[in-house]
mmCIF file of all heavy atoms in Angstrom:
data_model
loop_
_atom_site.group_PDB
_atom_site.id
_atom_site.type_symbol
_atom_site.label_atom_id
_atom_site.label_comp_id
_atom_site.label_asym_id
_atom_site.label_seq_id
_atom_site.Cartn_x
_atom_site.Cartn_y
_atom_site.Cartn_z
ATOM 1 N N LYS A 34 -6.976 25.735 -6.378
ATOM 2 C CA LYS A 34 -6.453 24.527 -7.033
ATOM 3 C C LYS A 34 -5.258 24.853 -7.933
ATOM 4 O O LYS A 34 -4.312 24.066 -8.037
ATOM 5 C CB LYS A 34 -7.574 23.880 -7.860
ATOM 6 C CG LYS A 34 -7.190 22.542 -8.514
ATOM 7 C CD LYS A 34 -7.239 21.397 -7.542
ATOM 8 C CE LYS A 34 -6.929 20.051 -8.190
ATOM 9 N NZ LYS A 34 -7.931 19.587 -9.143
ATOM 10 N N ALA A 47 10.831 17.401 -9.765
ATOM 11 C CA ALA A 47 11.950 17.052 -8.878
ATOM 12 C C ALA A 47 11.931 15.577 -8.492
ATOM 13 O O ALA A 47 12.726 15.140 -7.666
ATOM 14 C CB ALA A 47 11.912 17.923 -7.627
ATOM 15 N N ALA A 55 -8.418 20.558 -4.172
ATOM 16 C CA ALA A 55 -8.828 21.841 -3.601
ATOM 17 C C ALA A 55 -9.403 21.567 -2.216
ATOM 18 O O ALA A 55 -10.099 20.570 -2.006
ATOM 19 C CB ALA A 55 -9.868 22.514 -4.486
ATOM 20 N N GLY A 75 -3.944 5.665 -0.368
ATOM 21 C CA GLY A 75 -3.144 4.738 0.432
ATOM 22 C C GLY A 75 -3.230 5.050 1.909
ATOM 23 O O GLY A 75 -4.194 5.659 2.385
ATOM 24 N N THR A 95 -12.432 36.214 9.766
ATOM 25 C CA THR A 95 -11.879 35.255 8.805
ATOM 26 C C THR A 95 -10.648 34.568 9.370
ATOM 27 O O THR A 95 -10.453 33.358 9.192
ATOM 28 C CB THR A 95 -11.530 35.956 7.480
ATOM 29 O OG1 THR A 95 -12.722 36.507 6.917
ATOM 30 C CG2 THR A 95 -10.904 34.995 6.483
ATOM 31 N N ILE A 96 -9.808 35.317 10.063
ATOM 32 C CA ILE A 96 -8.611 34.725 10.668
ATOM 33 C C ILE A 96 -9.001 33.656 11.683
ATOM 34 O O ILE A 96 -8.445 32.551 11.695
ATOM 35 C CB ILE A 96 -7.742 35.819 11.323
ATOM 36 C CG1 ILE A 96 -7.102 36.698 10.236
ATOM 37 C CG2 ILE A 96 -6.658 35.212 12.207
ATOM 38 C CD1 ILE A 96 -6.461 37.965 10.756
ATOM 39 N N GLY A 118 2.530 4.956 13.527
ATOM 40 C CA GLY A 118 3.858 5.366 13.118
ATOM 41 C C GLY A 118 3.866 6.650 12.320
ATOM 42 O O GLY A 118 4.926 7.157 11.963
ATOM 43 N N LEU A 166 -4.608 41.479 14.246
ATOM 44 C CA LEU A 166 -3.414 40.936 14.888
ATOM 45 C C LEU A 166 -3.790 40.154 16.142
ATOM 46 O O LEU A 166 -3.236 39.080 16.405
ATOM 47 C CB LEU A 166 -2.426 42.054 15.221
ATOM 48 C CG LEU A 166 -1.121 41.586 15.888
ATOM 49 C CD1 LEU A 166 -0.381 40.597 15.000
ATOM 50 C CD2 LEU A 166 -0.234 42.785 16.227
ATOM 51 N N ASN A 176 -3.374 27.174 18.067
ATOM 52 C CA ASN A 176 -2.743 26.100 17.301
ATOM 53 C C ASN A 176 -1.798 25.298 18.182
ATOM 54 O O ASN A 176 -1.812 24.056 18.170
ATOM 55 C CB ASN A 176 -1.959 26.658 16.121
ATOM 56 C CG ASN A 176 -2.801 27.288 15.039
ATOM 57 O OD1 ASN A 176 -2.270 27.932 14.146
ATOM 58 N ND2 ASN A 176 -4.108 27.147 15.098
ATOM 59 N N LYS A 189 -2.809 7.629 20.837
ATOM 60 C CA LYS A 189 -3.564 6.382 20.985
ATOM 61 C C LYS A 189 -3.602 5.592 19.681
ATOM 62 O O LYS A 189 -3.889 4.393 19.687
ATOM 63 C CB LYS A 189 -4.971 6.683 21.485
ATOM 64 C CG LYS A 189 -4.957 7.197 22.927
ATOM 65 C CD LYS A 189 -6.327 7.638 23.397
ATOM 66 C CE LYS A 189 -6.232 8.172 24.836
ATOM 67 N NZ LYS A 189 -7.506 8.728 25.311
ATOM 68 N N ALA A 192 0.628 7.607 16.682
ATOM 69 C CA ALA A 192 1.103 8.667 15.796
ATOM 70 C C ALA A 192 1.489 9.905 16.609
ATOM 71 O O ALA A 192 1.131 10.028 17.784
ATOM 72 C CB ALA A 192 0.022 9.017 14.777
ATOM 73 N N ASN A 195 3.111 17.678 16.039
ATOM 74 C CA ASN A 195 3.848 18.790 16.620
ATOM 75 C C ASN A 195 3.558 20.067 15.845
ATOM 76 O O ASN A 195 2.959 20.037 14.762
ATOM 77 C CB ASN A 195 5.362 18.512 16.582
ATOM 78 C CG ASN A 195 5.776 17.426 17.553
ATOM 79 O OD1 ASN A 195 5.763 17.620 18.755
ATOM 80 N ND2 ASN A 195 6.137 16.267 17.021
ATOM 81 N N SER A 198 6.537 27.175 15.213
ATOM 82 C CA SER A 198 6.148 28.587 15.237
ATOM 83 C C SER A 198 7.268 29.407 14.609
ATOM 84 O O SER A 198 8.197 29.855 15.296
ATOM 85 C CB SER A 198 5.894 29.049 16.678
ATOM 86 O OG SER A 198 4.676 28.524 17.162
ATOM 87 N N GLU A 217 6.889 48.293 8.733
ATOM 88 C CA GLU A 217 7.990 48.935 9.463
ATOM 89 C C GLU A 217 8.296 48.192 10.753
ATOM 90 O O GLU A 217 9.461 47.978 11.112
ATOM 91 C CB GLU A 217 7.631 50.391 9.769
ATOM 92 C CG GLU A 217 8.757 51.152 10.459
ATOM 93 C CD GLU A 217 8.398 52.608 10.733
ATOM 94 O OE1 GLU A 217 7.413 53.109 10.149
ATOM 95 O OE2 GLU A 217 9.120 53.240 11.536
ATOM 96 N N GLY A 218 7.242 47.753 11.445
ATOM 97 C CA GLY A 218 7.430 46.998 12.679
ATOM 98 C C GLY A 218 8.123 45.665 12.434
ATOM 99 O O GLY A 218 8.986 45.260 13.217
ATOM 100 N N PHE A 251 10.728 10.887 19.620
ATOM 101 C CA PHE A 251 10.372 11.095 21.031
ATOM 102 C C PHE A 251 9.710 12.453 21.240
ATOM 103 O O PHE A 251 9.436 12.858 22.365
ATOM 104 C CB PHE A 251 11.628 10.968 21.913
ATOM 105 C CG PHE A 251 11.342 10.757 23.370
ATOM 106 C CD1 PHE A 251 10.584 9.683 23.808
ATOM 107 C CD2 PHE A 251 11.850 11.631 24.328
ATOM 108 C CE1 PHE A 251 10.323 9.480 25.163
ATOM 109 C CE2 PHE A 251 11.606 11.443 25.685
ATOM 110 C CZ PHE A 251 10.839 10.363 26.100
ATOM 111 N N MET A 259 10.921 29.066 16.219
ATOM 112 C CA MET A 259 12.144 29.363 15.449
ATOM 113 C C MET A 259 11.945 30.710 14.761
ATOM 114 O O MET A 259 11.374 30.822 13.691
ATOM 115 C CB MET A 259 12.460 28.245 14.456
ATOM 116 C CG MET A 259 11.375 27.828 13.509
ATOM 117 S SD MET A 259 11.888 26.603 12.266
ATOM 118 C CE MET A 259 13.303 27.383 11.507
#
Side-chain angles (χ1 to χ4, degrees):
K34 184 79 177 293
T95 299
I96 290 168
L166 181 59
N176 292 170
K189 291 174 181 175
N195 289 289
S198 286
E217 183 179 345
F251 197 58
M259 53 175 306

